[in-house]
Amino acid sequence: MPMDKKRKLSKSAAVQTKRRKTQPVQKKQASIDALRWKAVEVPEGFDDYEGFFGLEEIEGVDVVKDENGVRFLAPVKAVKESAGEDEFQGFGDEPEESGKNKKAEPGVAKEAVKPAVKDSKKGNKKEAKDLKKGSKKESKKEHKKAQQKKAKSEAVEQEDPELETNVFAKLDDLSEPDEDFDLSEWVPLDLSPQLLSSIARLKFSKPTPIQAAAIPEIMNGHDVIGKASTGSGKTLAFGIPIVEAWLAQSTEEPSADKKKSAIALILSPTRELAHQISDHIKALCAGLATSPYVCSITGGLSEVKQQRQLEKADIIIGTPGRLWDIIKSTNTVLHSLRDIRFLVVDEADRLLQDGHFKEAEEILNLLDKGPTTNEEDEEAESEEDEEEAEEARKRQTLVFSATFNKKLQQKLAGKSKFNLMADSESLEYLLQKLNFREERPKFIDTNPVSQMAENLKEGLILCGEMEKDLYLYATILLQPCKRTLVFTNSINTVQRLTPMLQELGLPAIPLHSNMIQKARLRSLERFKAAETPNKDNNKFVTFSTSAILVATDVAARGLDIPNVDMVIHYHVPRSADDYVHRSGRTARAANSGVSVLLCGPKEAVPTQRLVAKVHAAAEMKKSSASKKTQNLGAGVVQSIDIDRRIVSRLRDRVSLAKKITDAQLAKQKVTKEDNWMKEAAEELGVEYDSDEMEKAGTWSGRGRGRKEKEKKIATEVTKGEMAALRAQLRELLSKRVNVGVSERYLTGGAGGVDLDALLRGENVGGFLGQVDGLGLDD
Ligand SMILES: Nc1ncnc2c1ncn2[C@@H]1O[C@H](COP(=O)(O)OP(=O)(O)OP(=O)(O)O)[C@@H](O)[C@H]1O
């Protein structure tokens, strides 16, 4: 059997099929090629010692051996139909219908036939070749990735194959539709009964303002640029019309000779957001009799699997990088994208800037003109150019964000055809590529006054430059019952703060872009799964029931994590827009929340200016009513005056935790570098001696001082000393913190101070007064 495609029939059909067992499964005889094989997911870090790369499996297939040889009896859905009827949604993603599957006999196919060869029967040999090349390349790539991952000594938790979806599915806990649910506020939007019933399941009693304004425009065929504050329901503002269009289209007769094409492509700047959008749309579709196939195409997860998903997708949500990688590596997915009717650019201002520029441009190019990399293809494409340009006109472009910088906003809202110089690096150039079908897309701004959520309270804590760790700890301690998101400006800081907070007994979880994708999703899942206190019955809550996500700005955009009560900006945001998006992770969908900036002395003034800029429009409106124009934005952010006496009583804890963390990180780093040197020495065939290497000057040049310092810390703190430090810290953590005058105590385990009250301006500077009434012991 060729090594690049190997197939097995899985025994696990019975286990997999528990969920749907009402109908007996109809089976029919099929050739091995006609079966819908699924690539076996080989865990990352798994070397191909056993030759598992390229292995494929299938479930629910009976292998019948009789005098005529071997036959395969497969569920009807598991057998491919002729072109145009491809409605099967793939094994592995959805449980298959059950019944007699338990009897399925495992067997191994005699010969593997690559899907590309089947495609070639349809007349496209090139595609087949590309796919073949692609899958070999994929194996190599996966292998290389596995090697790289092995080299990474970063602790990554065990992977969970189920993690790639449903991380955000707050909406997945769907109840049966309530027939009495009042949907009258949705009626003016003229939605189909199926979709209304889905909305009733979600228990959304009325559309949010952006939904009420954007849905009719989109359903009337307009291009839309939607601006609305964070957490205001923008995803379903474009999600509902897309699903509605899919429902209308799915009732039409499919044309027999037409390849399946997706209806919508949604571009997202981050992987997590792509998965979240996908989960939101899936949740919307959960109650429908037939649902569109929704798939998210992001980096960090199996490219081969995503390639297959793309081919059958109705709604594609992707990050430009991975999407472009797949498109480049195979032409078989092009047809999925060419005929899309909706192009959505979510978090447009970020997506059209940052590092996504090139790939986004390539994708937009392709949507209008097709691939330009291959001469053969180009020739074929040119004949169809006109036809395709016409097709492109049919596409609606929807652009959404909570923030649009002024220039971008003017360009977007003003007109679609810009007077451009031939500057392919400019943002305008990319905007032109969006190829709006209308000269003037509908610009909808449902909250022109403020981009910030209505129920958000903002605070600023002024502290010493070197005291941020201490104030971070104090702030978290003052809000012990909260799910908190801490933003930093660097990956290193996430890697340092997370273990430090953990040493302090806090449930800190890291999130940054250097983590492998499954670890990123796992972190989000853990954060989301952490229980929140039941505020209604004032239940006693300990830290074990809250969670702290320490993240870079990778978590700043679009993430909809329920019940984030507090956002702390450990580093001040780099821009006013970043401040809006970070703070927008709390106070979502009519909930309340607080956003706290930790500012060093030098940061205070520029930060206040930055925040004032965000609030200037709102203030301007207010002040024009009262004829005051001074200090715009000032006063919106409440200065939080934490009693320094309490903070100073936490200092020893933080110093110890820092010392332990620094030593640990230095050790990890030295070990990592040592391993790297060892491997390099092995490859060169020389003996490795770290001290000799060091003496010989391997560590000369830039960074030598830092490395030496790290090595010193790493070797200075012995195992025994580390254990002693930990014991000391444990001792400190077990003691109550004497808060002074009132002789009340703040513990690390429970209780806290009402930061909300401080933010309301009550008891400013009167922290101790708040300790009363919190039920803390004497
Ligand atoms: N009509 C509605 N009624 C109540 N809740 C809604 C409604 N529509 C959406 N939501 C909920 O509101 C929350 C925020 O929605 P969404 O993530 O789409 O916000 P957003 O405007 O895209 O935010 P951001 O700017 O941060 O990306 C989600 O939990 C979503 O399920």
Side-chain angles (χ1 to χ4, degrees):
M1 190 192 321
M3 287 304 283
D4 55 349
K5 284 280 175 250
K6 294 149 277 182
R7 292 171 169 177
K8 71 184 176 86
L9 296 176
S10 164
K11 275 181 181 171
S12 61
V15 183
Q16 292 258 338
T17 53
K18 267 185 200 157
R19 269 170 63 186
R20 296 190 207 159
K21 37 182 155 171
T22 43
Q23 301 275 321
V25 178
Q26 262 195 356
K27 297 201 173 180
K28 72 175 186 183
Q29 188 171 328
S31 76
I32 195 162
D33 289 349
L35 299 175
R36 296 179 186 276
W37 295 90
K38 175 197 160 204
V40 172
E41 287 276 286
V42 180
E44 270 181 66
F46 184 93
D47 288 324
D48 196 19
Y49 297 132
E50 307 286 334
F52 278 118
F53 287 133
L55 186 71
E56 292 186 315
E57 65 176 4
I58 195 161
E59 286 163 345
V61 176
D62 296 339
V63 183
V64 181
K65 288 179 199 157
D66 56 22
E67 64 276 7
N68 300 321
V70 179
R71 289 181 295 124
F72 299 96
L73 290 178
V76 177
K77 273 187 157 187
V79 180
K80 289 177 186 168
E81 298 291 341
S82 54
E85 285 182 274
D86 194 355
E87 55 176 272
F88 177 66
Q89 312 247 314
F91 288 105
D93 296 320
E94 295 294 330
E96 186 206 344
E97 282 194 341
S98 178
K100 297 168 190 164
N101 293 355
K102 285 174 200 156
K103 286 185 191 156
E105 214 184 294
V108 179
K110 272 187 189 163
E111 206 182 304
V113 181
K114 293 173 192 75
V117 179
K118 280 168 268 156
D119 285 344
S120 74
K121 283 181 197 159
K122 291 175 194 161
N124 192 345
K125 284 185 185 152
K126 170 102 199 16
E127 278 187 6
K129 235 170 149 188
D130 280 355
L131 187 60
K132 189 174 170 183
K133 241 195 271 169
S135 69
K136 273 189 182 161
K137 207 170 126 198
E138 180 61 29
S139 288
K140 269 191 187 166
K141 233 176 166 181
E142 294 269 330
H143 183 71
K144 201 172 161 200
K145 256 192 226 158
Q147 296 287 4
Q148 281 168 352
K149 203 199 144 215
K150 227 173 99 190
K152 269 193 182 180
S153 71
E154 223 173 66
V156 176
E157 300 127 285
Q158 270 224 314
E159 287 171 18
D160 178 347
E162 295 304 314
L163 267 180
E164 59 191 84
T165 56
N166 271 337
V167 173
F168 299 95
K170 170 194 167 192
L171 303 169
D172 60 0
D173 190 14
L174 295 171
S175 54
E176 282 306 304
D178 174 0
E179 285 184 4
D180 296 330
F181 193 76
D182 181 8
L183 286 164
S184 54
E185 301 224 28
W186 289 94
V187 171
L189 301 190
D190 205 17
L191 303 177
S192 63
Q194 295 106 294
L195 216 52
L196 281 175
S197 152
S198 289
I199 290 168
R201 273 172 185 266
L202 297 175
K203 299 213 169 8
F204 292 163
S205 58
K206 58 176 187 211
T208 64
I210 185 69
Q211 291 163 359
I215 291 172
E217 298 291 6
I218 301 173
M219 285 175 57
N220 282 330
H222 294 293
D223 289 334
V224 165
I225 295 150
K227 180 170 173 273
S229 46
T230 52
S232 61
K234 291 187 284 295
T235 312
L236 292 188
F238 59 78
I240 288 174
I242 289 173
V243 175
E244 198 61 270
W246 181 85
L247 281 170
Q249 181 182 284
S250 66
T251 57
E252 289 166 15
E253 276 296 304
S255 105
D257 57 338
K258 205 164 179 231
K259 274 191 178 179
K260 183 180 165 66
S261 155
I263 193 167
L265 171 63
I266 301 165
L267 294 177
S268 149
T270 67
R271 298 168 180 185
E272 286 76 10
L273 182 57
H275 288 282
Q276 177 185 296
I277 296 170
S278 158
D279 286 341
H280 272 199
I281 295 178
K282 281 180 189 164
L284 176 71
C285 298
L288 300 174
T290 51
S291 299
Y293 185 69
V294 181
C295 76
S296 41
I297 306 295
T298 69
L301 300 171
S302 162
E303 204 171 314
V304 176
K305 184 173 172 184
Q306 291 180 349
Q307 192 175 308
R308 290 185 178 207
Q309 289 177 332
L310 256 181
E311 288 175 31
K312 62 192 178 207
D314 293 304
I315 299 174
I316 302 164
I317 302 112
T319 48
R322 170 54 66 92
L323 254 175
W324 184 238
D325 278 351
I326 294 188
I327 293 167
K328 259 189 323 194
S329 67
T330 170
N331 281 340
T332 55
V333 297
L334 283 183
H335 63 88
S336 307
L337 295 167
R338 292 274 182 77
D339 292 340
I340 54 158
R341 283 177 50 198
F342 298 93
L343 169 67
V344 183
V345 186
D346 198 20
E347 304 293 341
D349 52 334
R350 163 114 194 253
L351 201 126
L352 297 183
Q353 289 169 327
D354 284 13
H356 307 290
F357 191 96
K358 195 79 201 128
E359 290 100 348
E361 182 198 4
E362 300 278 18
I363 293 166
L364 296 173
N365 255 341
L366 175 109
L367 293 183
D368 292 333
K369 296 191 191 99
T372 53
T373 45
N374 184 298
E375 269 178 43
E376 223 177 283
D377 284 346
E378 250 177 53
E379 218 174 289
E381 299 310 321
S382 66
E383 287 165 24
E384 293 163 27
D385 264 2
E386 241 171 84
E387 210 178 298
E388 276 169 357
E390 188 51 42
E391 278 291 299
R393 295 272 140 237
K394 286 188 203 153
R395 188 179 76 218
Q396 278 176 257
T397 303
L398 315 173
V399 179
F400 280 84
S401 186
T403 53
F404 287 103
N405 69 51
K406 227 177 182 167
K407 215 169 130 200
L408 175 62
Q409 192 168 319
Q410 280 162 358
K411 302 267 182 224
L412 283 167
K415 51 186 173 146
S416 60
K417 307 284 171 255
F418 308 114
N419 187 13
L420 298 173
M421 317 242 288
D423 177 7
S424 61
E425 287 301 302
S426 75
L427 178 62
E428 287 94 282
Y429 175 81
L430 197 57
L431 286 177
Q432 191 191 34
K433 295 268 171 201
L434 284 178
N435 200 6
F436 289 102
R437 78 208 305 212
E438 293 177 304
E439 186 72 11
R440 276 180 185 274
K442 300 278 173 195
F443 185 78
I444 299 169
D445 186 350
T446 51
N447 195 354
V449 172
S450 174
Q451 301 147 313
M452 306 294 268
E454 228 171 82
N455 300 323
L456 178 78
K457 281 174 248 146
E458 296 158 74
L460 185 151
I461 295 175
L462 195 61
C463 61
E465 201 65 62
M466 308 304 287
E467 288 181 311
K468 282 200 173 180
D469 291 355
L470 179 58
Y471 274 81
L472 172 69
Y473 179 54
T475 311
I476 293 171
L477 219 55
L478 298 182
Q479 291 285 87
C481 305
K482 303 284 174 174
R483 191 180 284 170
T484 299
L485 216 163
V486 180
F487 279 108
T488 77
N489 287 349
S490 80
I491 293 172
N492 276 346
T493 312
V494 175
Q495 288 170 330
R496 187 181 64 77
L497 285 182
T498 311
M500 188 197 82
L501 293 173
Q502 286 167 350
E503 292 293 341
L504 286 162
L506 301 179
I509 302 163
L511 181 68
H512 58 75
S513 57
N514 263 8
M515 291 162 70
I516 62 160
Q517 184 56 23
K518 284 182 180 174
R520 277 163 74 164
L521 292 173
R522 160 81 78 181
S523 276
L524 278 169
E525 195 192 48
R526 279 173 55 202
F527 184 56
K528 185 186 152 251
E531 265 180 57
T532 40
N534 184 345
K535 289 175 193 157
D536 297 337
N537 65 13
N538 220 2
K539 207 166 97 183
F540 177 82
V541 180
T542 67
F543 277 119
S544 62
T545 55
S546 67
I548 301 155
L549 187 71
V550 187
T552 57
D553 280 321
V554 75
R557 291 279 182 153
L559 293 194
D560 183 49
I561 302 161
N563 304 323
V564 173
D565 307 275
M566 177 161 67
V567 167
I568 302 177
H569 309 261
Y570 176 89
H571 288 137
V572 295
R574 293 188 179 99
S575 72
D577 284 353
D578 286 346
Y579 177 65
V580 172
H581 288 283
R582 282 179 174 189
S583 306
R585 296 319 98 210
T586 182
R588 297 175 71 75
N591 293 315
S592 57
V594 298
S595 161
V596 179
L597 286 148
L598 294 184
C599 280
K602 284 189 201 148
E603 291 168 326
V605 173
T607 305
Q608 264 153 351
R609 242 185 251 136
L610 180 134
V611 176
K613 196 174 153 197
V614 171
H615 291 281
E619 291 288 293
M620 183 90 82
K621 214 173 173 195
K622 274 188 227 154
S623 64
S624 65
S626 63
K627 303 260 185 296
K628 275 189 231 151
T629 50
Q630 297 275 305
N631 269 336
L632 291 182
V636 179
V637 176
Q638 177 75 49
S639 172
I640 304 175
D641 197 1
I642 302 184
D643 193 312
R644 294 195 73 84
R645 285 170 296 180
I646 293 176
V647 176
S648 69
R649 287 185 175 111
L650 300 173
R651 198 177 294 275
D652 287 349
R653 291 179 174 194
V654 175
S655 303
L656 266 175
K658 257 174 112 165
K659 199 167 176 185
I660 296 167
T661 312
D662 284 351
Q664 233 177 0
L665 289 175
K667 259 199 173 75
Q668 275 171 16
K669 216 159 173 200
V670 169
T671 316
K672 208 161 146 186
E673 264 162 20
D674 246 28
N675 286 345
W676 181 85
M677 299 278 276
K678 242 182 243 164
E679 272 170 31
E682 251 170 45
E683 261 176 42
L684 289 170
V686 293
E687 221 166 281
Y688 174 72
D689 179 332
S690 67
D691 292 335
E692 282 304 310
M693 288 252 195
E694 202 178 336
K695 266 188 236 152
T698 325
W699 280 0
S700 60
R702 264 183 89 216
R704 182 177 182 177
R706 179 181 52 81
K707 280 178 182 146
E708 278 174 354
K709 197 175 151 201
E710 273 162 6
K711 187 148 197 204
K712 195 160 169 266
I713 300 175
T715 45
E716 246 174 22
V717 185
T718 63
K719 251 188 187 169
E721 281 163 342
M722 189 78 106
L725 287 174
R726 285 219 166 92
Q728 216 179 322
L729 180 58
R730 256 200 316 276
E731 168 83 11
L732 273 183
L733 289 174
S734 69
K735 279 187 188 154
R736 291 172 184 280
V737 177
N738 187 337
V739 296
V741 193
S742 75
E743 292 304 316
R744 296 273 173 173
Y745 297 88
L746 181 67
T747 71
V753 171
D754 189 355
L755 201 62
D756 288 356
L758 288 174
L759 284 163
R760 283 197 302 270
E762 294 167 17
N763 293 297
V764 171
F767 175 86
L768 292 177
Q770 281 294 302
V771 180
D772 283 319
L774 283 166
L776 298 177
D777 298 325
D778 278 321

